[in-house]
């Protein structure tokens, strides 16, 4: 079976984990701080606070900004649920917003429409590894005195006009889940240029503890382990290489599938560097999407749908829906998208086999 995604783990990660296990320091320790320093250097941002996963990274970002009290946060309707559910967890209200159907990222024009006197922040998601339109979104945030939060869970190394995402917002959240471009199995990070926000996140990550068993505020245990950080350090060393393999695979897909009229291929806008966390195609005839998925499965090719349900149709968030007619692009995307195998372990012949199989499906 050709997997839709898979972690890229070598002896480097295995040896690093063994070293930590032998060290006796398994929980938070100097290796976590080493990862934080190196990740900050990679992005070009002063503060990285490593946490347990991307979900709590979003939660802590909102908490550190003091967002709650039924205030409103603008979020895309087409993303993984954590982007919006953490707004609810923080005590605020997610205002679901439509996407641009070409980049699958939040539509700045729709953002403008959703701003009210209660709006405090905009969360942008660099979905699939393609950046959102950061200049326009940053202007909107500035003009309306809103915080800008970046959900970079799928965008390690993604660039907007030559600058890595994660540095545009007041605060950003990364995930290092098993399938991400940089993985630790589970893991996350909050990234910020702002020292005060960094201090708050650090405090909240570890029970509000300022010195041993002295707790200034109520917090949580959202720490990362040294085992995870050791994997992360090794992954970070080869992140650019892994991303360039993803981009090479994307190039083969784009070349091989360009004449297939039944699908729309992912775009890389002129201002973007896409890191292809997912290589997601749009099947023009919605009825064929699931059939293509089944056909590829019968050929030993795993695919996935990111995402089969927009957030406004999720039972958990339905009370925040303004009705499907408010999110036409998000709704359509959920019916048409299909993610093809994309990870650095794929061989060129795997990719050509996927291309040929898709062509065969549409020939029939
Ligand atoms: C866009 C987006 N936001 C947030 C998350 C949450 O990250 P995690 O799974 O590490 O909690 C994910 C990952 O699954 C994601 O894809």
């Amino acid at each position: 079976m050709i997997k839709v995604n898979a972690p890229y783990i070598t002896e480097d990660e295995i040896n690093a984990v063994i070293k930590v296990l032998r060290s006796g320091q398994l929980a938070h320790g100097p290796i976590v701080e080493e990862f934080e320093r190196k990740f900050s250097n990679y992005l070009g941002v002063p503060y990285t606070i490593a946490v347990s996963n991307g979900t709590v990274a979003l939660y802590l970002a909102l908490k550190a900004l003091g967002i709650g009290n039924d205030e409103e946060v603008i979020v895309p309707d087409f993303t993984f649920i954590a982007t919006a559910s953490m707004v609810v967890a923080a005590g605020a209200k997610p205002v679901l917003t439509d996407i641009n159907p070409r980049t699958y990222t939040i539509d700045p024009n729709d953002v403008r429409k959703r701003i009210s006197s209660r709006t405090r922040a905009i969360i942008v998601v660099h979905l699939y590894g393609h950046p959102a339109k950061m200049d326009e979104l940053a202007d909107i945030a500035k003009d309306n005195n809103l915080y800008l939060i970046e959900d970079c869970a799928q965008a390690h190394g993604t660039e907007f006009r030559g600058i890595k995402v994660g540095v545009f917002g007041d605060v950003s959240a990364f995930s290092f889940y098993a399938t991400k471009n940089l993985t630790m199995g589970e893991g996350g990070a909050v990234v910020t240029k702002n020292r005060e926000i960094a201090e708050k996140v650090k405090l909240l990550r570890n029970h509000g503890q300022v010195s041993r068993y002295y707790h200034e505020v109520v917090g949580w245990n959202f720490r990362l382990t040294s085992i995870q950080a050791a994997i992360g350090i090794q992954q970070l060393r080869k992140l650019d290489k892994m991303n360039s393999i993803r981009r090479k695979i994307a190039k083969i897909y784009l070349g091989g599938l360009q004449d297939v009229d039944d699908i729309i291929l992912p775009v890389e806008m002129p201002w973007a560097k896409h890191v292809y966390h997912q290589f997601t195609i749009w099947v023009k005839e919605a009825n064929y999407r699931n059939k293509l998925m089944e056909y590829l499965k019968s050929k030993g090719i795993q695919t996935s749908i990111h995402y089969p349900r927009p957030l406004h149709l999720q039972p958990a968030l339905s009370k925040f829906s303004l009705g499907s007619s408010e999110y036409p692009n998000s709704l359509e995307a959920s019916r048409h998208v299909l993610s093809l195998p994309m990870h650095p372990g794929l061989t060129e012949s795997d990719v050509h086999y996927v291309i040929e199989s898709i062509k065969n499906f549409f020939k029939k």
Side-chain angles (χ1 to χ4, degrees), residues 53-55 58 79-80 82-83 125 151 153-154 175 177 180 187 307:
N53 54 61
T55 302
L58 284 165
T79 173
F80 182 64
T83 314
V125 181
D151 180 340
Q154 306 188 2
S175 162
Y177 177 66
K180 299 297 194 260
Y307 296 90

Side-chain angles (χ1 to χ4, degrees), residues 52-58 78-84 86 124-128 151-154 173-180 185-189 277-278 306-307:
S52 317
N53 54 61
T55 302
V56 300
L58 284 165
F78 194 65
T79 173
F80 182 64
I81 190 163
T83 314
M86 287 306 100
V124 306
V125 181
H126 308 296
L127 202 75
Y128 305 151
D151 180 340
C152 303
Q154 306 188 2
F174 282 83
S175 162
F176 307 122
Y177 177 66
T179 58
K180 299 297 194 260
E186 296 272 10
H277 173 59
Q278 306 292 352
H306 304 102
Y307 296 90

